[in-house]
Amino acid sequence: MFLEELCNASGPVSHEDEVRNLIKEEIKTYVDEITVDRMGNIIAHKKGNGKKVMIDAHMDEVAFIITAINEDGTMKFEPMGGINSKVIPSKVVLIGKNRIPGVIGLKPIHLQSGEERKNSITYDKCCLDIGSKSKEETKKYVKLGDYAVFDTEYSEFGKGLVKAKALDDRAGCAVLIEVLKGKYDCDLYAAFNVMEEIGDRGAYVSAFQIQPDIGIAIEGTICADMPGIPGHLRATEVGKGPAISIMDRTSIFNEKVTNAIIETAESNAIPYQRRRAIAGGNDAGAIHTSGNGAKVATISVPCRYIHSSVSVASLSDFKNTVKLLEAYLLSLK
C-alpha cells in the first residue's frame, strides 16, 4: 500500500522534497488543482459549492541535524523535532541525500561510572559514527547542516499491525490521499504541510491562504497501551479505532464539529475512541488562529512509540480513519 512508500521516504523537517514528490504524483488525477507554496506545502483543491473545508496532514518527520565534525571523524548532532535523547543510542540512521549509513554511539555501560549510569542520556554525550577515521575523511561525505533520519523499513507484523518510522504523520498523509479519491459537496482543500514538528510553521501559511470554515487535522498520535501503564494514562489504544481529540497544548477543539464527527462514527458503525490526554499539539493549533480563524477538530491514528526509530499502528485504525473522514465530509451538504 502507498503508506509503505510514504514511510520509507525521507522527509525531515524542511527537507520534505521526497515525500512531496510522491504525494503530488499520487493525487494529481483526484483533484482539480495542485499548488506548492513558498514554504513547500502542497495545497490540493477539489472544487465544491458547500463549506470550505481544510483537511490537513504534515509531511515532515522528526530527524537530526549535523552541527559539528569531530577530529576523530565522528559528528555532533541535535534533534529536529522532539526526539527524547533516551531513545537514540545505537540507532542506525541515514545521512543526507546520499543516505550515508551511520550509527549513534554512546560510551558502553561497562565504562560508565555509577553516576553516569544514573543520569539521563544527553545529546552531548552521544556521537554519530559513519566509520570514518578522521575529520577530513568525514567531510568528503557529510557537511554541517546535513540531516539524518532513522533507517527503518516499513513492514507488517502480528495481526494487522505495521511498524515503521514516521507514522507521525505519514499515516495522516496516506489518509488524506485515500479521502481525495471520493466526491463531496463541500469545497475541499487538502493541505500536506511542512515543518509541523518544529511548531506547525507550514500550516500557518497554508491556512492563511485557504481561509477555511472548518479545519480537520489528521495525525499519528501518542499511544501508551502497554504493561504497567494505568488506564487513565493510556491516551489512545491501538486497534480501537480513530481517536477524536478533546483538546491539546495548542487547541480546544470545536464542540459542534467534534460532536458531528462522533455522530457520524456512530451512525455509520465506525469504531472510534476519545483521545484521553491533552499533551502535544498539531497543525490544528495553526489553522484555528490564522486569518479569520476556523472551527477545528483532530482525528488521529494511534501510534505506539511515537517520535522514535520505529512506531507501531493498526491497519484497521488507518482504514477506519479513512472511512470516518469520508463519511463526515459527505455529511456536509
Side-chain angles (χ1 to χ4, degrees), residues 64-78 88 93-96 100-106 122-148:
F64 308 99
I65 187 168
I66 308 303
T67 57
I69 301 176
N70 300 317
E71 292 299 326
D72 65 357
T74 62
M75 289 159 281
K76 294 182 179 180
F77 61 100
E78 293 291 340
I88 66 174
V93 298
L94 299 173
I95 304 170
I100 306 299
V103 177
I104 296 175
L106 177 70
T122 57
Y123 275 85
D124 64 312
K125 300 296 183 183
C126 297
C127 66
L128 217 169
D129 183 358
I130 62 168
S132 168
K133 296 181 180 179
S134 68
K135 184 174 186 177
E136 289 69 30
E137 185 179 5
T138 296
K139 288 170 72 174
K140 295 177 183 178
Y141 304 98
V142 180
K143 65 181 184 301
L144 298 187
D146 277 351
Y147 61 81

Side-chain angles (χ1 to χ4, degrees), residues 47 54 56 64 84 106 121 148 157 189 193 199 224 255 275 327:
K47 295 178 181 178
M54 175 180 175
D56 156 275
F64 308 99
N84 191 322
L106 177 70
I121 295 165
F157 78 118
Y189 290 81
N193 290 315
E255 187 175 8
R275 185 178 183 269

Side-chain angles (χ1 to χ4, degrees), residues 62-304:
V62 293
F64 308 99
I65 187 168
I66 308 303
T67 57
I69 301 176
N70 300 317
E71 292 299 326
D72 65 357
T74 62
M75 289 159 281
K76 294 182 179 180
F77 61 100
E78 293 291 340
M80 300 168 71
I83 308 176
N84 191 322
S85 58
K86 294 177 182 177
V87 307
I88 66 174
S90 304
K91 297 300 187 295
V92 181
V93 298
L94 299 173
I95 304 170
K97 293 182 179 180
N98 293 327
R99 297 176 181 266
I100 306 299
V103 177
I104 296 175
L106 177 70
K107 184 195 293 187
I109 192 168
H110 315 70
L111 303 180
Q112 293 176 18
S113 67
E115 193 63 28
E116 285 176 319
R117 295 185 189 191
K118 293 178 185 177
N119 294 335
S120 296
I121 295 165
T122 57
Y123 275 85
D124 64 312
K125 300 296 183 183
C126 297
C127 66
L128 217 169
D129 183 358
I130 62 168
S132 168
K133 296 181 180 179
S134 68
K135 184 174 186 177
E136 289 69 30
E137 185 179 5
T138 296
K139 288 170 72 174
K140 295 177 183 178
Y141 304 98
V142 180
K143 65 181 184 301
L144 298 187
D146 277 351
Y147 61 81
V149 297
F150 291 116
D151 182 14
T152 307
E153 290 289 317
Y154 173 104
S155 63
E156 298 184 14
F157 78 118
K159 293 185 178 180
L161 299 180
V162 298
K163 53 186 176 71
K165 69 173 182 66
L167 283 168
D168 171 22
D169 187 28
R170 304 295 159 68
C173 291
V175 167
L176 262 59
I177 291 166
E178 291 300 312
V179 168
L180 286 175
K181 297 176 183 179
K183 295 182 179 180
Y184 313 97
D185 291 329
C186 62
D187 196 25
L188 183 62
Y189 290 81
F192 299 87
N193 290 315
V194 300
M195 298 191 225
E196 188 267 0
E197 296 294 0
I198 57 170
D200 310 336
R201 298 185 185 187
Y204 280 105
V205 175
S206 61
F208 188 84
Q209 295 177 77
I210 295 168
Q211 296 285 301
D213 300 307
I214 297 171
I216 310 293
I218 307 298
E219 264 281 36
T221 197
I222 52 176
C223 181
D225 56 343
M226 60 189 73
I229 306 295
H232 72 281
L233 293 179
R234 298 185 177 194
T236 65
E237 298 182 61
V238 165
K240 293 192 175 182
I244 301 171
S245 295
I246 301 167
M247 67 172 289
D248 62 23
R249 180 175 51 82
T250 60
S251 304
I252 297 178
F253 298 104
N254 183 269
E255 187 175 8
K256 288 184 178 180
V257 175
T258 298
N259 286 342
I261 293 170
I262 291 171
E263 290 167 9
T264 299
E266 293 175 347
S267 63
N268 288 275
I270 300 170
Y272 73 93
Q273 57 187 302
R274 300 308 301 269
R275 185 178 183 269
R276 301 185 300 276
I278 61 172
N282 58 44
D283 281 343
I287 296 168
H288 89 283
T289 56
S290 293
N292 294 322
K295 297 176 181 179
V296 295
T298 290
I299 307 171
S300 303
V301 179
C303 297
R304 293 174 183 151

Side-chain angles (χ1 to χ4, degrees), residues 11-26:
V13 178
S14 80
H15 296 277
E16 299 90 350
D17 311 62
E18 192 175 328
V19 179
R20 180 166 45 246
N21 291 337
L22 284 172
I23 292 172
K24 284 170 61 182
E25 183 64 26
E26 185 71 13

